[in-house]
Amino acid sequence: MSNERGDAEARIEELRNRIRALDKKYYQAADPEVSDREYDRLKEELVSLEQDVLGVNPEDSPTTQVGDDRLEGFDSYRHRDPMLSLDNTYNREDLLAFDQRLRKRFEVEELDYTVDPKIDGLAISLTYEKGTLVRAVTRGNGTEGDDVTANARTIQTLPTQLKSQNPPDWIELRGEVYLTNDEFLRINQEREKRGEPLYANPRNLAAGTIKLLDSRLVAQRKLAIVVYGLGFCDPDSIGSQTELQQLILEWGLPVVERYWTVSGIEAVWRSIEELDQMRGEFSYPTDGAVVKLNQRSLQREAGRTAKAPRWSIAYKFETEKAETTLRKIGLQVGRTGAVTPVAHLDPVELAGTTVARATLHNEDEIRRKDIREGDWVRVEKAGEIIPQVLSVDTQRRGEDSAPFEFPTECPACGSSLKRLPDEAVWRCPNAAGCPPQVRRRLEHFGSRACMDIENLGKAVVDQLVSKQLVHNIADLYRLRVEDLIRLEKFAQRSSDNLVLAIADSRKREVWRLLHGLGIPNVGSGTAKDLIREFRSIDALAAANEETLEKVDGIGSILTASIRTFFAEPKNQKLLADLRELGLNFSEESGEQKEEEKTLKGMTFVLTGTLPNFSRTQATEWIEARGGKVTSSVSKKTSYLIAGEEAGSKLAKAQSLGVSVIDEEELKSLA
Ligand code: IVH
C-alpha cells in the first residue's frame, strides 16, 4: 500500500468517526457542536475521498446512511415508506448538474419542478387513517422512528381530522416540526431571566422538545408544524407535487409560506433567488430551498439511493458571515456558578441586526479555535439567531497577541474557580457570597416555574441584592414595606404588592419550593417525582442513597447532587429559616386530600392510542389520583395501559409479567 493511500484511508477513518460523533450530538442530543456548513464541508471531503480511494459506495459510512434520532423511552414504529434525507448543495453548478442528470435520463429538454422553502426543524411522518390522525413518528434511522404522537398532539395547528369527504384509507404525510423565531426568543428570554443557559437555535430546541418524555412540558413550548411531502398512500391517485400541495391545503394542514411550480432549471434558480429575498419575513427559520421534480411518475422512475431520492435536492443558502474585531473575552456567572465566556465584538451588521456579542461556549472551544483578545474573527449566525465565532484570521494577528488564559478566579467575587474532570465548565464555588449567583438564584426562585412570585423581576432582584437587603431566599420573606419604599421606582403601592406576593408564596405546593432551592439537576419534573415519593422536604433530606436510587428516574448523579445539597450546613440553616418563616414543607398541607388518592403507590406506563384520553390527559388523570406515570416498562411498573397500535412496550410488559390493561380497566381502578 502506498503511503498516500494509507494517509487517505486514515483520514477517511478519522472523518467517519468525527461525523458519527457529530451526528449523535445533532440528532440525539439536539446539541450540535459545529455549524451546518462546517458539518457539510467535512461530509463533502469524506464523499470525495471515499470515491477516490474506494471507488464504490461504501456500506458502513455516514455518507450512505441517514443519521439516527431515536432515543430510549419511546416506542419504535416502522415507516411504511422509508423517510429519506436529501442531498445538499451550496452552489449553482451542482444544481445545474442535478437537472442535467435528470434530463439525460428522461431524454427531455426541460422538466417541471417545484421549489419550496427548506424549513430548519426536524422531520416528522404523520399517519392519517380514513382522515383521522393516528400517529406521529420521527425519522429515526429512516426505516424506523420514535413514536411521538402524544407530543405532536400538543401542536395546536395540527388537525386530528382531515377536512375531506373521502380521505385516503391510509396516508403517511411528511412534514417538519419547528419553532417560530418569536417563540424561540420568548423561551430564551425566560431562560435568561432565570439565569439558565440559552438554547443555540430554534431547530435544536424544536428537536429537543418533541423528544421530551413529558407531554406537559412539550405543551408549554408552542411547537408548530408544516406539511410538504408524501410517504405511503392508499389509494394513491396523487399525480404531482403541486397536486399534493393543494390537497394538503384543502385538508386543513399547515403548508409552507410560499412555493413555486416552474418549468426548467433557470426558472428554478429565479425562484430560489426570490425565496432568498423574502425568507427573512417568514415566521420560521429557512436555511435553503428544496427542489422537487413535479410529476410523481417521474419521481418514481428516477428512484433513490440508500440515503436520498434522486428526484429532489436541497439548495442551502450560505449563512451570512461578517468579520470584525474581538475586543475582549468577557465572563458571565450563572446561577449554579458556571462561568461562561462571551466575545465582546466591535459592532457589525449581520443578517439584518447589529451584533456586538457572540457565544464562545467554554474554555475548550476557545482553545480549539485559538481565539484571542484583539483577533479578527469571522462570525456567523447559527440557525440565523445567535451569533457564534466561526474562526480567527491568524494572518491579521498582531505580534503581541497571546493565547487567552481562562481565569483561575471568579470575575465577580474572586473565589478560586473549579473544574470537575468530566465537565467542560469552570464554576465559582462561592454560592452564598457571589453576587451574580445570588441574583440568579433569587430570580429562579421567584420565577413562574418555581414559586411564581409576581413583581419579583430581574430589575427588582438587582436592587435588592446590590442594596444588600437580601442575601438569600429566606431574606425575601423578611422584607418589610419600609425597606422597599426606599428603592428606585418603588412607591407605597408597589412595595405593598411585592411584600404581599412574597408572603402569598409561602403556601405554594412543596415541589415548587424544592425546585426553587436550585439543587443542581433538579428541574420541575424531578421535583414533582421526588415529592410524590417522599411527601415532604424533611423526608427527602433524610433519605439515604439507597432509598433515593430506588425512585424511578433518579440515578447516581441526582442522588449525589441531592445528598450534597442537604448535607451542606449552610443549606440546613436556610431550610430551618424557611420553615420558621412559615413556608410549606410537606404535601399533606397542600391542596389535595389524601382520600382522593386512589392510585397512590402505583406506577403506570402508557402505550398506543387510547380511545378517549390523549397521553397528556391520561397522565394528568392518573397523577391527580396520586399515581405515577413513567416512560418505560420495568419490573416496578404496576400496569401497562395499552391502546390501539401498542408498540414494543407491550412485548416488554408481557415478558416481564407486568399486567396489561385498557383505558376502561384503568378507570375502574380509581
Ligand atoms: S422534502 C424525500 N421539503 O430537510 C424528500 N424536506 O435535509 C423529503 N425539509 O429530511 C423531503 N423542508 O426533514 C422536503 N420543504 C421541504 C423541507 C424538507 C425541510 C427537511 C426534511 C428532510 C431534510 C433533508
Side-chain angles (χ1 to χ4, degrees), residues 461-624:
V461 169
D462 268 358
Q463 286 203 66
L464 294 176
V465 175
S466 63
K467 298 268 154 62
Q468 307 226 2
L469 286 171
V470 173
H471 303 92
N472 61 31
I473 298 168
D475 286 345
L476 285 174
Y477 294 89
R478 300 188 180 107
L479 280 172
R480 292 163 312 170
V481 173
E482 306 89 275
D483 303 324
L484 294 175
I485 274 184
R486 286 183 286 133
L487 299 180
E488 258 168 64
K489 293 200 186 139
F490 262 86
Q492 180 76 37
R493 217 170 102 212
S494 43
S495 307
D496 287 346
N497 284 347
L498 182 57
V499 170
L500 272 178
I502 294 172
D504 239 18
S505 72
R506 287 179 312 180
K507 295 298 167 214
R508 294 267 191 278
E509 296 141 288
V510 59
W511 68 263
R512 291 184 169 274
L513 172 60
L514 179 58
H515 185 205
L517 291 175
I519 304 174
N521 305 309
V522 177
S524 59
T526 307
K528 284 182 196 168
D529 284 350
L530 289 168
I531 293 303
R532 199 179 297 120
E533 197 70 28
F534 293 99
R535 332 277 317 156
S536 72
I537 302 245
D538 301 308
L540 174 64
N544 61 20
E545 233 162 84
E546 213 186 339
T547 330
L548 280 167
E549 286 197 9
K550 269 196 207 132
V551 181
D552 241 2
I554 309 288
S556 56
I557 295 179
L558 262 171
T559 300
S561 182
I562 294 166
R563 300 267 300 153
T564 312
F565 181 88
F566 288 110
E568 176 73 44
K570 277 192 212 116
N571 294 333
Q572 290 171 353
K573 164 90 172 66
L574 173 70
L575 288 166
D577 286 354
L578 290 173
R579 183 198 315 280
E580 213 179 289
L581 289 159
L583 275 82
N584 174 27
F585 267 54
S586 70
E587 178 91 337
E588 271 72 33
S589 49
E591 283 151 28
Q592 244 173 351
K593 286 192 216 81
E594 198 57 23
E595 57 265 34
E596 285 167 9
K597 299 195 169 171
T598 40
L599 301 180
K600 196 179 155 195
M602 298 185 201
T603 304
F604 298 84
V605 175
L606 298 159
T607 183
T609 315
L610 302 178
N612 302 303
F613 271 154
S614 73
R615 235 178 246 218
T616 318
Q617 287 166 335
T619 305
E620 280 170 3
W621 192 88
I622 292 167
E623 286 180 350

Side-chain angles (χ1 to χ4, degrees), residues 27 82-88 116-124 139 174-176 226 228-230 241 245 256 287 289-290 292 308-309 311-312 314 316:
Y27 288 109
M83 265 178 105
L84 301 174
S85 172
L86 286 177
D87 287 333
N88 280 338
D116 48 55
K118 185 172 187 321
I119 301 114
D120 202 7
L122 81 154
I124 193 121
R139 184 168 72 185
R174 302 285 160 77
E176 202 84 358
V226 60
Y228 49 63
L230 186 59
Q241 179 68 24
Q245 290 279 18
V256 290
D287 60 348
V290 180
K292 299 169 194 170
W311 47 266
S312 179
K316 300 243 266 195

